[in-house]
Amino acid sequence: MKLNYVFQNKAYLITAFTHSSKSRRCIVNSYERLEFLGDALLDFLVIRHTFLNYDQNITPGRVTDIKQDLSNNNHLGYILVSFNLHTKIRYNSNEISKRIQSYVNNTNIHHSTNSPVPKILADVFEALIAAMFFDANNSLEFVWKIIEPFLGKIIDRSIVNPSLNPMRRFSDEGGKIIQEFTNETESVCLVQMPNGTYYEGHGKNKKLAKSDACQQALNHKD
Amino acid sequence: MKLNYVFQNKAYLITAFTHSSKSRRCIVNSYERLEFLGDALLDFLVIRHTFLNYDQNITPGRVTDIKQDLSNNNHLGYILVSFNLHTKIRYNSNEISKRIQSYVNNTNIHHSTNSPVPKILADVFEALIAAMFFDANNSLEFVWKIIEPFLGKIIDRSIVNPSLNPMRRFSDEGGKIIQEFTNETESVCLVQMPNGTYYEGHGKNKKLAKSDACQQALNHKD
């Protein structure tokens, strides 16, 4: 797979591929701000795509799930590696190098997106979207034409076959969060289903504890 | 103040001004989906404005605060009322009618944005932005040219004179959320400052309880 775009202004391209561990040692800016803009641009393009192509049945709640599914590191990082663009990232960290290598090796063997994807891969993909947007004179249509062949399919699949996240399913089932608690070693979340049963979830942060509790409540229900 | 825009396709305009309480009784769609798109569009335009006009010192964290400050109901709802556009909203609810009237009366007397702003006013403003975007052939520049005179100033003021939200200040000061608890009547949040002191916040939902706890911790510190 190839990404068909030639940059007019190479500075955008270089910034999008420069991690802060590298930029500290040279005059080039890191991709942080481009990534932030790319994330908002991607959100907007995904919502616009669903608005223009699907009818009223796709509620904002559903679109939020689709966006989360897409924006989670798996899809975006996987696309970057498919283009072999991970080899172009400029960073200065053994830890990042190891994580990328381990992900790429796993992906090559299993052809799947199940391995944990280093955040830097999705970040660079988002920065790259913003870089193309500025380089193409702020043209939404231009950027969408480039990324649509890869992202459009994933969005459409999400819509036809929604994999609702456990927290939304839990809340749709009438579940309630009763208590969240964080101590020195972990977070704990206590939830209750409409039949009165309590479930306790654990995780290294609040989000993971909540997701664990919701998943347990749903497992017992199914 | 007047909003200088004439719609080519009046259907967009009507949808942007139709609340779900009205759309249930007629064939027109409500503004819900337009509002969702307008919210993402506004986020993106605000981030782009700060990216293009301010340097590296405006970090993504700062831009998030600016966005929250802008997107909170106060500013957007206030702008809608300044244009006298609240009189054009189509809804079918005495409760909404009362809330809008009370806000408008207060605003006329005090010329301030301190009164609580009904959510519908900000929602319609966001839906209107999305409606103009589609009506103007998906042109970002066109929409920005229309809203920039009102929003640009607020953004610039936020940047020069940042009013950090209490939760971010609390976390910058090294505060920690210890426990969150929701019972039948209210939410409670327990936080701890680095010196070991605990503060308890209360509110009708988790977010308000957390904000109350952080504000108390900061008051004692100041």
Side-chain angles (χ1 to χ4, degrees):
Chain A
M1 275 212 293
K2 262 195 99 160
L3 202 63
N4 285 314
Y5 187 75
V6 178
F7 273 82
Q8 305 289 311
N9 181 345
K10 304 282 187 237
Y12 285 128
L13 180 64
I14 294 169
T15 303
F17 279 88
T18 304
H19 184 255
S20 57
S21 61
K22 186 81 181 178
S23 74
R24 265 180 243 126
R25 292 164 182 254
C26 61
I27 52 160
V28 175
N29 293 324
S30 79
Y31 62 64
E32 196 186 20
R33 295 176 85 216
L34 275 180
E35 176 227 326
F36 188 60
L37 188 96
D39 180 51
L41 176 53
L42 192 59
D43 267 9
F44 175 65
L45 288 172
V46 170
I47 296 173
R48 188 181 69 150
H49 178 77
T50 55
F51 191 101
L52 295 175
N53 295 282
Y54 296 92
D55 68 5
Q56 290 285 327
N57 294 327
I58 309 296
T59 61
R62 281 282 306 283
V63 180
T64 301
D65 285 347
I66 293 162
K67 265 170 48 191
Q68 273 175 359
D69 180 44
L70 184 74
S71 305
N72 76 24
N73 298 335
N74 287 357
H75 287 304
L76 305 185
Y78 185 77
I79 295 174
L80 197 84
V81 171
S82 311
F83 291 136
N84 212 32
L85 288 176
H86 61 285
T87 57
K88 310 289 184 198
I89 306 176
R90 297 146 38 90
Y91 53 87
N92 204 323
S93 151
N94 285 333
E95 186 55 37
I96 292 177
S97 171
K98 268 190 243 159
R99 269 190 243 147
I100 293 180
Q101 210 43 58
S102 154
Y103 170 69
V104 172
N105 291 343
N106 264 311
T107 308
N108 286 342
I109 297 164
H110 301 297
H111 298 286
S112 83
T113 57
N114 290 332
S115 342
V117 185
K119 185 172 176 298
I120 189 174
L121 298 177
D123 288 351
V124 167
F125 186 82
E126 290 179 334
L128 186 58
I129 289 177
M132 289 191 292
F133 172 76
F134 281 130
D135 195 58
N137 284 321
N138 290 254
S139 167
L140 287 177
E141 306 317 324
F142 202 92
V143 170
W144 182 242
K145 222 167 82 185
I146 292 171
I147 62 176
E148 199 268 341
F150 319 108
L151 295 186
K153 269 187 238 164
I154 301 174
I155 299 169
D156 295 341
R157 206 166 50 215
S158 272
I159 288 176
V160 177
N161 195 358
S163 60
L164 289 181
N165 73 55
M167 281 175 294
R168 184 172 302 277
R169 275 178 57 210
F170 169 78
S171 130
D172 286 350
E173 299 279 350
K176 267 187 180 170
I177 310 242
I178 300 298
Q179 196 169 350
E180 288 175 289
F181 182 90
T182 301
N183 60 30
E184 292 301 309
T185 56
E186 64 166 5
S187 288
V188 182
C189 179
L190 184 70
V191 301
Q192 187 180 27
M193 287 299 263
N195 65 7
T197 318
Y198 288 93
Y199 299 93
E200 199 177 279
H202 297 256
K204 67 178 174 184
N205 60 40
K206 267 168 40 178
K207 200 173 159 191
L208 291 174
K210 199 199 278 188
S211 175
D212 183 40
C214 295
Q215 194 60 64
Q216 284 193 47
L218 293 168
N219 289 348
H220 277 260
K221 198 213 137 245
D222 299 340
Chain B
M1 273 212 295
K2 261 194 98 160
L3 203 62
N4 284 314
Y5 187 73
V6 178
F7 273 83
Q8 304 290 310
N9 181 345
K10 304 281 187 238
Y12 284 128
L13 179 64
I14 294 168
T15 303
F17 278 88
T18 304
H19 185 254
S20 57
S21 61
K22 186 82 181 177
S23 74
R24 267 180 240 121
R25 293 164 182 252
C26 62
I27 53 163
V28 175
N29 292 325
S30 80
Y31 62 63
E32 197 187 21
R33 295 176 84 218
L34 275 180
E35 175 226 329
F36 188 60
L37 188 96
D39 180 52
L41 176 53
L42 191 60
D43 266 8
F44 175 66
L45 287 173
V46 170
I47 297 173
R48 188 180 68 150
H49 178 77
T50 56
F51 191 100
L52 294 176
N53 294 283
Y54 296 92
D55 68 4
Q56 289 286 324
N57 294 328
I58 310 295
T59 60
R62 282 283 304 281
V63 180
T64 302
D65 285 346
I66 293 161
K67 265 171 48 192
Q68 273 174 359
D69 180 43
L70 184 73
S71 306
N72 78 22
N73 299 335
N74 288 357
H75 288 304
L76 306 185
Y78 185 78
I79 295 174
L80 198 84
V81 172
S82 312
F83 292 135
N84 212 30
L85 288 176
H86 60 287
T87 57
K88 310 290 183 197
I89 308 177
R90 298 146 38 91
Y91 53 87
N92 204 322
S93 151
N94 285 333
E95 186 53 36
I96 292 177
S97 172
K98 267 189 244 161
R99 267 189 247 148
I100 293 180
Q101 210 43 58
S102 152
Y103 171 69
V104 173
N105 291 344
N106 263 312
T107 307
N108 286 342
I109 297 163
H110 301 297
H111 298 287
S112 84
T113 57
N114 290 331
S115 344
V117 184
K119 187 173 176 297
I120 188 173
L121 298 177
D123 287 352
V124 167
F125 185 83
E126 290 180 334
L128 184 59
I129 289 177
M132 290 190 293
F133 172 75
F134 281 132
D135 195 58
N137 284 322
N138 290 253
S139 167
L140 287 177
E141 307 317 325
F142 202 92
V143 171
W144 182 242
K145 222 166 80 185
I146 292 170
I147 62 176
E148 200 267 339
F150 320 107
L151 295 185
K153 270 186 238 163
I154 301 174
I155 300 169
D156 296 340
R157 205 166 50 213
S158 271
I159 288 177
V160 177
N161 194 358
S163 60
L164 288 181
N165 73 56
M167 280 175 298
R168 183 174 304 277
R169 275 178 58 210
F170 169 78
S171 129
D172 285 352
E173 299 279 351
K176 265 187 182 173
I177 308 240
I178 301 299
Q179 196 168 350
E180 288 174 289
F181 182 89
T182 300
N183 60 30
E184 292 301 308
T185 56
E186 64 165 5
S187 288
V188 182
C189 178
L190 184 71
V191 301
Q192 188 180 27
M193 287 299 265
N195 66 7
T197 319
Y198 289 92
Y199 299 93
E200 199 177 276
H202 298 256
K204 66 178 176 185
N205 59 41
K206 268 169 36 179
K207 201 175 158 188
L208 291 174
K210 200 199 281 188
S211 176
D212 183 39
C214 295
Q215 193 60 64
Q216 284 194 46
L218 292 168
N219 289 348
H220 277 261
K221 199 214 138 246
D222 298 340

